Amino acid sequence: MAAELARSDPERAPAPAGAPAGRRAGGARRASWTRALRPWLLLAPALAVLAVLLFWPLVRVLLLSFQDYGLRQINTGESNYTGFDNYREILSDSFLWRTVLPNTVLFAVTCVVLTVVVGTLVALLLRRLGRVWRVVCSSVIMMAWAMPAVTGTYVWIWIFDPLNGVVSGGLDGLGVIEPRETNWFTDRWSFYAIATLNVVHHGFPFVAITVFAALLTIPRELPEAATVDGASAWQRFWHITVPTIRPVFLVVTILSTIWDFKVFAQIYLMPGGAGSNQEVLNLGVWSYIQSFSRNQYGMGSAIAVLLTLLLLAITVVYVRALSNERDEL
């Protein structure tokens, strides 16, 4: 038996019977270290690529956030460390607390809620459709998901164009507004209402397909038994569907939160979103403008670090929530 084990796995082969105890213990430790290092050796190439592509840029941004870094420093290559001055300036700026942070948080929360609700309703619809119509509807909603964010944003800009847009033209025909006097992109609330429609339209297919796949795992006996007992459709959904696929709802909610907190293109490409309208900036766009429009790369990096810390906090909540769900199951 020992000979067979030695041929199949030399590391696990027992030491000879006459070997000293120290030699046997040393061999066991070496075998243990080898088994522990083997997965890391296999992951080493991928980890090296991630370190170059992700970790070093993050470190570079962190270093820039502690500097007064502008065009002069780019040309000379000098480093002008100022400590936490950038962070103190940002956190003491009322513009952050009055405009940027509320825009970022309220916009993300609204988009997440609407995305999950709309996606869940579409998933329930797909569950009730026949095979042919299910394929047709799934293909149509996947087109919205496949559409690039830039293309989708310009479509929504065209829809709400003050002079030639579909919405302005329709409301003008009804006598509700005067198109030449109405610009949907100058007001903070209407601007973010359009951005919310854009983000929800682009994000709900992911929720719909994911929740629909989870609905297929629910045994038919559960809702059928509840129906026999007289439960309404809402009661079946709330007391059977939601508890059964709660981990899936948790995943799509947290992922949508992470994505919607760092929305950039849908804000930056809209009229006024590139900095001309200060009232509609969020953290991502504010960081970009500080860096590339005003050449204050240290300040822009500090804003990016704050956004990263916010996303890390959300990620920690996501991981802990998943761990709790796994423990409950």
Side-chain angles (χ1 to χ4, degrees):
M1 183 68 182
E4 295 177 357
L5 183 59
R7 286 193 298 269
S8 62
D9 192 351
E11 295 176 357
R12 297 178 57 189
R23 180 183 172 186
R24 290 197 298 268
R29 283 194 298 268
R30 285 193 298 271
S32 177
W33 276 102
T34 302
R35 287 194 297 270
L37 289 176
R38 186 179 298 166
W40 293 103
L41 292 175
L42 296 174
L43 291 173
L47 294 176
V49 173
L50 290 177
V52 173
L53 297 180
L54 298 178
F55 183 70
W56 170 242
L58 183 62
V59 172
R60 182 60 177 166
V61 170
L62 182 62
L63 294 176
L64 287 177
S65 69
F66 294 106
Q67 303 179 44
D68 181 10
Y69 203 88
L71 289 178
R72 181 176 181 275
Q73 285 71 26
I74 292 178
N75 293 329
T76 62
E78 299 175 353
S79 298
N80 184 19
Y81 284 93
T82 58
F84 290 92
D85 288 353
N86 290 329
Y87 293 98
R88 280 193 289 265
E89 183 175 349
I90 293 170
L91 296 176
S92 62
D93 190 350
S94 61
F95 182 63
L96 170 68
W97 306 104
R98 178 179 54 85
T99 302
V100 176
L101 196 59
N103 287 348
T104 304
V105 175
L106 294 178
F107 172 66
V109 171
T110 303
C111 288
V112 170
V113 172
L114 291 178
T115 301
V116 173
V117 170
V118 173
T120 302
L121 292 176
V122 173
L124 293 173
L125 173 64
L126 294 175
R127 186 72 176 88
R128 297 179 64 90
L129 292 177
R131 178 175 298 178
V132 175
W133 282 108
R134 183 184 300 168
V135 172
V136 172
C137 292
S138 299
S139 302
V140 171
I141 65 174
M142 289 301 290
M143 292 180 184
W145 196 19
M147 180 182 295
V150 174
T151 305
T153 300
Y154 281 122
V155 169
W156 285 101
I157 292 174
W158 170 75
I159 291 175
F160 285 91
D161 183 86
L163 297 179
N164 304 313
V166 177
V167 174
S168 296
L171 294 178
D172 179 35
L174 296 175
V176 177
I177 65 169
E178 174 59 41
R180 297 185 181 276
E181 300 177 359
T182 304
N183 190 336
W184 305 100
F185 301 102
T186 56
D187 180 72
R188 180 183 183 185
W189 297 104
S190 60
F191 179 96
Y192 270 100
I194 298 171
T196 300
L197 289 174
N198 186 5
V199 172
V200 172
H201 173 260
H202 189 264
F204 87 88
F206 167 76
V207 178
I209 298 302
T210 305
V211 173
F212 171 67
L215 291 175
L216 296 179
T217 65
I218 300 177
R220 291 184 176 272
E221 293 80 6
L222 294 179
E224 290 176 356
T227 303
V228 172
D229 292 338
S232 63
W234 171 253
Q235 290 173 330
R236 294 196 301 271
F237 173 77
W238 189 251
H239 296 289
I240 296 178
T241 303
V242 172
T244 304
I245 62 174
R246 189 189 314 171
V248 176
F249 279 120
L250 182 63
V251 169
V252 297
T253 300
I254 300 299
L255 289 178
S256 298
T257 303
I258 294 174
W259 294 335
D260 294 343
F261 261 94
K262 58 179 184 177
V263 165
F264 176 81
Q266 292 89 333
I267 303 298
Y268 183 80
L269 295 177
M270 288 174 61
S276 59
N277 186 358
Q278 295 286 316
E279 293 298 314
V280 300
L281 297 183
N282 63 358
L283 279 172
V285 178
W286 192 29
S287 172
Y288 182 88
I289 290 174
Q290 290 290 339
S291 298
F292 299 102
S293 296
R294 301 179 181 177
N295 297 320
Q296 298 177 356
Y297 299 100
M299 186 71 67
S301 298
I303 298 172
V305 170
L306 292 178
L307 178 58
T308 303
L309 293 176
L310 185 60
L311 292 176
L312 284 176
I314 297 172
T315 304
V316 170
V317 174
Y318 164 66
V319 173
R320 293 188 61 181
L322 283 182
S323 299
N324 293 336
E325 284 289 337
R326 192 177 297 110
D327 293 340
E328 291 178 3
L329 295 176

